[in-house]
Amino acid sequence: MFKSRTFGSFTVGQFAEKTRVVTAEDVETFAKVSGDYNPLHFDREYAAATPFKSRIVHGALITSFVSGLMGMELPGTGSLVVSMKLKFRKPVFLNSAVTTKVEIMKLDRRGFITLACVCSVENKIVVNGEALVSFPRDESS
Amino acid sequence: MFKSRTFGSFTVGQFAEKTRVVTAEDVETFAKVSGDYNPLHFDREYAAATPFKSRIVHGALITSFVSGLMGMELPGTGSLVVSMKLKFRKPVFLNSAVTTKVEIMKLDRRGFITLACVCSVENKIVVNGEALVSFPRDESS
Protein backbone atom coordinates (compact mmCIF):
# COMPACT_ATOMS: atom_id res chain seq x y z
CA MET A 1 0.00 0.00 0.00
CA PHE A 2 2.78 2.45 0.87
CA LYS A 3 5.84 2.98 -1.24
CA SER A 4 8.71 2.55 1.16
CA ARG A 5 12.13 3.50 -0.11
CA THR A 6 15.60 3.63 1.31
CA PHE A 7 17.50 6.90 1.48
CA GLY A 8 20.22 5.50 -0.76
CA SER A 9 17.71 4.88 -3.57
CA PHE A 10 16.95 8.57 -4.03
CA THR A 11 18.58 10.57 -6.80
CA VAL A 12 18.58 14.24 -7.75
CA GLY A 13 16.07 14.80 -10.55
CA GLN A 14 13.75 12.02 -9.39
CA PHE A 15 10.14 13.24 -9.39
CA ALA A 16 6.54 12.30 -8.65
CA GLU A 17 3.48 13.83 -10.24
CA LYS A 18 -0.26 13.60 -9.68
CA THR A 19 -3.27 15.32 -11.21
CA ARG A 20 -6.44 15.84 -9.28
CA VAL A 21 -9.63 17.80 -9.87
CA VAL A 22 -10.39 20.04 -6.91
CA THR A 23 -14.12 20.06 -6.20
CA ALA A 24 -16.57 22.17 -4.18
CA GLU A 25 -16.74 19.20 -1.81
CA ASP A 26 -12.95 19.37 -1.26
CA VAL A 27 -13.29 23.07 -0.41
CA GLU A 28 -16.07 22.31 2.09
CA THR A 29 -14.13 19.42 3.65
CA PHE A 30 -11.01 21.56 3.91
CA ALA A 31 -12.96 24.37 5.62
CA LYS A 32 -14.08 21.92 8.31
CA VAL A 33 -10.45 21.38 9.29
CA SER A 34 -9.00 24.83 8.66
CA GLY A 35 -11.99 26.79 9.93
CA ASP A 36 -11.59 28.99 6.87
CA TYR A 37 -15.03 29.99 5.59
CA ASN A 38 -13.76 33.16 3.90
CA PRO A 39 -16.50 34.19 1.41
CA LEU A 40 -13.94 34.24 -1.41
CA HIS A 41 -14.17 30.46 -1.18
CA PHE A 42 -17.86 30.06 -0.33
CA ASP A 43 -20.01 32.96 -1.40
CA ARG A 44 -20.72 33.06 -5.11
CA GLU A 45 -22.05 36.65 -5.06
CA TYR A 46 -19.20 37.94 -2.94
CA ALA A 47 -16.64 36.26 -5.23
CA ALA A 48 -18.40 37.64 -8.33
CA ALA A 49 -17.66 41.18 -7.10
CA THR A 50 -13.91 40.49 -6.74
CA PRO A 51 -11.31 40.61 -9.56
CA PHE A 52 -11.49 36.79 -9.63
CA LYS A 53 -15.20 36.88 -10.63
CA SER A 54 -15.71 33.42 -9.21
CA ARG A 55 -15.11 31.35 -6.04
CA ILE A 56 -11.50 30.28 -5.61
CA VAL A 57 -9.89 27.36 -3.81
CA HIS A 58 -7.99 27.89 -0.51
CA GLY A 59 -4.24 28.21 -1.16
CA ALA A 60 -3.63 25.97 1.86
CA LEU A 61 -5.75 23.26 0.22
CA ILE A 62 -3.35 23.25 -2.73
CA THR A 63 -0.50 23.16 -0.19
CA SER A 64 -2.04 19.96 1.17
CA PHE A 65 -1.77 18.35 -2.30
CA VAL A 66 2.00 19.03 -2.23
CA SER A 67 2.30 17.61 1.25
CA GLY A 68 0.20 14.57 0.31
CA LEU A 69 2.33 13.77 -2.73
CA MET A 70 5.50 13.93 -0.63
CA GLY A 71 4.00 11.80 2.15
CA MET A 72 2.62 9.15 -0.18
CA GLU A 73 4.98 9.07 -3.16
CA LEU A 74 8.25 10.96 -2.91
CA PRO A 75 10.03 10.65 -0.55
CA GLY A 76 7.03 8.57 0.66
CA THR A 77 6.38 6.66 3.86
CA GLY A 78 8.24 7.89 6.89
CA SER A 79 9.14 11.26 5.43
CA LEU A 80 8.45 14.35 7.48
CA VAL A 81 8.23 17.95 6.27
CA VAL A 82 10.78 20.12 8.09
CA SER A 83 10.02 23.37 6.29
CA MET A 84 8.10 24.58 3.29
CA LYS A 85 7.91 27.84 1.37
CA LEU A 86 5.34 28.36 -1.32
CA LYS A 87 4.20 31.21 -3.56
CA PHE A 88 0.57 31.37 -4.60
CA ARG A 89 0.89 32.82 -8.09
CA LYS A 90 -2.57 32.45 -9.60
CA PRO A 91 -6.06 31.74 -8.28
CA VAL A 92 -7.32 28.16 -8.60
CA PHE A 93 -10.99 27.87 -9.51
CA LEU A 94 -13.39 25.08 -8.58
CA ASN A 95 -13.23 21.98 -10.76
CA SER A 96 -9.72 22.76 -12.01
CA ALA A 97 -7.44 19.79 -12.69
CA VAL A 98 -4.41 20.58 -10.55
CA THR A 99 -1.17 18.80 -11.45
CA THR A 100 1.23 18.62 -8.51
CA LYS A 101 4.88 17.75 -9.10
CA VAL A 102 7.68 17.34 -6.58
CA GLU A 103 11.27 16.84 -7.72
CA ILE A 104 14.39 16.10 -5.73
CA MET A 105 16.82 19.03 -5.97
CA LYS A 106 19.32 18.13 -3.26
CA LEU A 107 20.20 15.18 -1.04
CA ASP A 108 21.95 15.74 2.25
CA ARG A 109 23.83 12.84 3.84
CA ARG A 110 22.23 13.53 7.20
CA GLY A 111 18.88 12.42 5.79
CA PHE A 112 17.44 15.68 4.46
CA ILE A 113 15.92 16.03 1.01
CA THR A 114 15.16 19.33 -0.74
CA LEU A 115 12.31 19.14 -3.22
CA ALA A 116 11.03 21.65 -5.76
CA CYS A 117 7.25 21.80 -5.64
CA VAL A 118 5.08 22.97 -8.53
CA CYS A 119 1.31 22.95 -8.98
CA SER A 120 -0.13 23.84 -12.35
CA VAL A 121 -3.48 24.13 -14.05
CA GLU A 122 -3.56 23.81 -17.84
CA ASN A 123 0.24 24.09 -17.92
CA LYS A 124 0.24 27.38 -16.02
CA ILE A 125 2.01 27.46 -12.67
CA VAL A 126 -0.43 28.34 -9.89
CA VAL A 127 1.75 27.50 -6.87
CA ASN A 128 5.48 26.84 -6.57
CA GLY A 129 8.24 26.72 -4.03
CA GLU A 130 10.30 24.21 -2.14
CA ALA A 131 10.22 21.85 0.79
CA LEU A 132 12.85 20.39 3.08
CA VAL A 133 11.91 16.88 4.16
CA SER A 134 13.63 14.50 6.55
CA PHE A 135 13.75 10.81 5.82
CA PRO A 136 14.91 8.02 8.14
CA ARG A 137 18.30 6.92 6.76
CA ASP A 138 18.14 3.31 7.88
CA GLU A 139 14.49 2.49 7.10
CA SER A 140 14.12 -0.95 5.54
CA SER A 141 17.84 -1.13 4.89
CA MET B 1 -20.44 36.80 10.39
CA PHE B 2 -17.18 37.95 8.74
CA LYS B 3 -14.90 40.58 10.20
CA SER B 4 -14.40 43.01 7.38
CA ARG B 5 -11.74 45.65 7.91
CA THR B 6 -10.25 48.44 5.88
CA PHE B 7 -6.57 48.45 5.04
CA GLY B 8 -6.11 51.73 6.91
CA SER B 9 -7.33 50.16 10.15
CA PHE B 10 -4.39 47.73 10.36
CA THR B 11 -1.40 48.46 12.57
CA VAL B 12 1.94 46.75 13.10
CA GLY B 13 1.75 44.60 16.24
CA GLN B 14 -1.96 43.83 15.81
CA PHE B 15 -2.58 40.12 16.32
CA ALA B 16 -5.20 37.38 16.34
CA GLU B 17 -5.03 34.15 18.29
CA LYS B 18 -7.08 30.96 18.42
CA THR B 19 -6.72 27.68 20.29
CA ARG B 20 -8.11 24.48 18.90
CA VAL B 21 -7.80 20.83 19.86
CA VAL B 22 -6.73 18.76 16.85
CA THR B 23 -8.58 15.45 16.82
CA ALA B 24 -8.25 12.08 15.07
CA GLU B 25 -11.34 13.13 13.10
CA ASP B 26 -9.52 16.27 11.87
CA VAL B 27 -6.62 14.09 10.70
CA GLU B 28 -9.04 11.79 8.83
CA THR B 29 -10.91 14.72 7.27
CA PHE B 30 -7.64 16.34 6.23
CA ALA B 31 -6.43 13.11 4.60
CA LYS B 32 -9.56 13.03 2.43
CA VAL B 33 -8.52 16.34 0.88
CA SER B 34 -4.73 15.99 0.87
CA GLY B 35 -4.66 12.31 -0.05
CA ASP B 36 -2.01 11.90 2.65
CA TYR B 37 -2.54 8.56 4.40
CA ASN B 38 1.11 8.30 5.51
CA PRO B 39 1.17 5.66 8.31
CA LEU B 40 2.93 8.16 10.61
CA HIS B 41 -0.51 9.79 10.83
CA PHE B 42 -2.72 6.71 10.70
CA ASP B 43 -1.03 3.53 11.82
CA ARG B 44 -0.61 3.26 15.57
CA GLU B 45 1.86 0.35 15.37
CA TYR B 46 3.95 1.96 12.64
CA ALA B 47 4.09 5.22 14.61
CA ALA B 48 5.01 3.36 17.82
CA ALA B 49 8.19 2.14 16.10
CA THR B 50 9.29 5.69 15.15
CA PRO B 51 11.12 8.17 17.42
CA PHE B 52 7.74 9.89 17.95
CA LYS B 53 6.27 6.75 19.57
CA SER B 54 2.77 7.85 18.65
CA ARG B 55 0.70 9.04 15.66
CA ILE B 56 1.38 12.65 14.70
CA VAL B 57 -0.72 15.29 12.96
CA HIS B 58 0.05 16.33 9.35
CA GLY B 59 2.18 19.49 9.26
CA ALA B 60 0.00 20.79 6.44
CA LEU B 61 -3.05 20.44 8.71
CA ILE B 62 -1.40 22.84 11.16
CA THR B 63 -0.63 25.09 8.17
CA SER B 64 -4.35 25.16 7.47
CA PHE B 65 -4.99 26.57 10.98
CA VAL B 66 -2.66 29.49 10.17
CA SER B 67 -4.37 30.07 6.86
CA GLY B 68 -7.82 29.84 8.49
CA LEU B 69 -6.96 32.40 11.15
CA MET B 70 -5.72 34.84 8.51
CA GLY B 71 -8.75 34.28 6.28
CA MET B 72 -11.29 34.64 9.08
CA GLU B 73 -9.73 37.03 11.57
CA LEU B 74 -6.61 38.92 10.57
CA PRO B 75 -6.46 40.38 7.96
CA GLY B 76 -9.87 38.65 7.53
CA THR B 77 -12.41 38.69 4.72
CA GLY B 78 -11.01 39.38 1.29
CA SER B 79 -7.41 38.67 2.22
CA LEU B 80 -5.42 36.32 0.01
CA VAL B 81 -2.21 34.51 0.84
CA VAL B 82 0.54 35.46 -1.63
CA SER B 83 3.33 33.40 -0.06
CA MET B 84 4.01 31.46 3.09
CA LYS B 85 7.09 29.90 4.66
CA LEU B 86 6.82 27.71 7.70
CA LYS B 87 9.16 25.57 9.78
CA PHE B 88 7.78 22.46 11.43
CA ARG B 89 9.81 22.38 14.63
CA LYS B 90 8.15 19.74 16.76
CA PRO B 91 5.67 16.93 16.18
CA VAL B 92 2.04 17.62 17.10
CA PHE B 93 0.24 14.67 18.67
CA LEU B 94 -3.47 13.87 18.48
CA ASN B 95 -5.70 15.75 20.93
CA SER B 96 -3.15 18.54 21.43
CA ALA B 97 -4.53 22.02 22.01
CA VAL B 98 -2.82 24.05 19.29
CA THR B 99 -2.68 27.82 19.77
CA THR B 100 -2.24 29.68 16.49
CA LYS B 101 -1.19 33.32 16.51
CA VAL B 102 -0.69 35.70 13.60
CA GLU B 103 0.76 39.16 14.11
CA ILE B 104 1.22 42.03 11.68
CA MET B 105 4.93 42.72 11.17
CA LYS B 106 4.84 45.03 8.17
CA LEU B 107 2.31 46.99 6.15
CA ASP B 108 3.01 47.91 2.56
CA ARG B 109 1.07 50.76 0.97
CA ARG B 110 0.33 48.69 -2.10
CA GLY B 111 -1.93 46.48 0.00
CA PHE B 112 0.46 43.79 1.21
CA ILE B 113 0.66 42.67 4.82
CA THR B 114 3.48 40.57 6.31
CA LEU B 115 2.44 38.46 9.28
CA ALA B 116 4.48 36.40 11.73
CA CYS B 117 2.80 33.03 12.27
CA VAL B 118 3.33 30.88 15.36
CA CYS B 119 1.62 27.67 16.47
CA SER B 120 2.33 26.36 19.94
CA VAL B 121 1.32 23.49 22.17
CA GLU B 122 1.68 23.98 25.92
CA ASN B 123 3.72 27.13 25.29
CA LYS B 124 6.23 25.32 23.08
CA ILE B 125 6.53 26.46 19.48
CA VAL B 126 5.64 23.64 17.09
CA VAL B 127 5.41 25.62 13.86
CA ASN B 128 6.51 29.13 12.95
CA GLY B 129 7.23 31.31 9.99
CA GLU B 130 5.70 34.15 8.05
CA ALA B 131 3.09 34.91 5.44
CA LEU B 132 2.64 37.65 2.89
CA VAL B 133 -1.02 38.44 2.36
CA SER B 134 -2.71 40.85 -0.04
CA PHE B 135 -5.71 42.83 1.05
CA PRO B 136 -7.98 44.96 -1.15
CA ARG B 137 -7.10 48.58 -0.29
CA ASP B 138 -10.51 50.10 -0.95
CA GLU B 139 -12.80 47.43 0.54
CA SER B 140 -15.67 48.95 2.54
CA SER B 141 -14.02 52.36 2.50
Side-chain angles (χ1 to χ4, degrees):
Chain A
M1 179 180 177
F2 296 106
K3 297 191 182 177
S4 201
R5 293 174 161 129
T6 58
F7 191 83
S9 74
F10 294 121
T11 51
V12 170
Q14 200 174 357
F15 68 92
E17 199 174 71
K18 191 177 182 178
T19 299
R20 183 168 156 184
V21 174
V22 56
T23 64
E25 197 187 335
D26 289 329
V27 169
E28 275 155 37
T29 306
F30 184 78
K32 275 185 204 155
V33 176
S34 64
D36 190 349
Y37 289 93
N38 196 314
L40 258 176
H41 311 304
F42 283 98
D43 186 327
R44 201 173 295 198
E45 284 183 32
Y46 177 94
T50 69
F52 305 118
K53 307 286 184 207
S54 176
R55 292 163 59 191
I56 60 172
V57 175
H58 303 81
L61 193 162
I62 306 300
T63 302
S64 83
F65 286 3
V66 176
S67 161
L69 188 62
M70 295 192 297
M72 296 297 284
E73 300 279 341
L74 187 76
T77 308
S79 63
L80 257 193
V81 181
V82 175
S83 66
M84 211 166 170
K85 51 180 175 182
L86 292 177
K87 286 193 179 177
F88 301 91
R89 298 189 174 276
K90 285 181 191 294
V92 175
F93 299 100
L94 294 182
N95 304 314
S96 301
V98 179
T99 299
T100 302
K101 183 179 176 181
V102 296
E103 180 176 344
I104 296 180
M105 303 303 286
K106 210 167 103 180
L107 289 160
D108 176 309
R109 289 178 188 173
R110 290 166 300 173
F112 294 104
I113 305 174
T114 306
L115 297 110
C117 314
V118 182
C119 300
S120 40
V121 174
E122 291 172 2
N123 293 317
K124 282 180 188 148
I125 294 175
V126 290
V127 176
N128 71 342
E130 69 176 56
L132 180 67
V133 174
S134 71
F135 192 85
R137 292 222 48 197
D138 54 353
E139 193 191 58
S140 358
S141 65
Chain B
M1 178 177 178
F2 297 105
K3 298 190 182 178
S4 201
R5 293 173 162 130
T6 59
F7 190 83
S9 74
F10 295 122
T11 53
V12 170
Q14 199 173 357
F15 68 92
E17 201 174 70
K18 191 178 182 178
T19 299
R20 185 169 156 182
V21 174
V22 57
T23 64
E25 197 188 335
D26 290 327
V27 169
E28 275 154 38
T29 307
F30 184 77
K32 274 185 205 156
V33 176
S34 65
D36 190 348
Y37 289 93
N38 196 314
L40 259 178
H41 311 304
F42 284 96
D43 186 329
R44 201 173 295 197
E45 284 182 31
Y46 177 95
T50 69
F52 305 118
K53 307 283 183 213
S54 175
R55 290 164 60 191
I56 60 172
V57 175
H58 303 80
L61 194 162
I62 306 299
T63 303
S64 84
F65 286 3
V66 175
S67 159
L69 187 61
M70 295 193 296
M72 295 298 284
E73 300 279 340
L74 187 74
T77 309
S79 64
L80 256 195
V81 180
V82 175
S83 67
M84 212 164 168
K85 49 181 177 183
L86 292 177
K87 287 193 178 178
F88 301 91
R89 299 189 173 275
K90 286 182 191 293
V92 175
F93 299 100
L94 294 182
N95 303 315
S96 302
V98 179
T99 299
T100 303
K101 184 180 176 180
V102 295
E103 180 176 344
I104 296 180
M105 304 303 284
K106 212 167 101 179
L107 289 161
D108 176 309
R109 289 179 189 172
R110 288 167 301 172
F112 294 105
I113 304 175
T114 307
L115 297 109
C117 313
V118 182
C119 300
S120 39
V121 174
E122 291 171 2
N123 293 316
K124 282 179 189 149
I125 294 176
V126 290
V127 176
N128 71 342
E130 67 176 56
L132 180 66
V133 174
S134 72
F135 191 85
R137 293 221 51 195
D138 55 353
E139 194 191 57
S140 358
S141 64

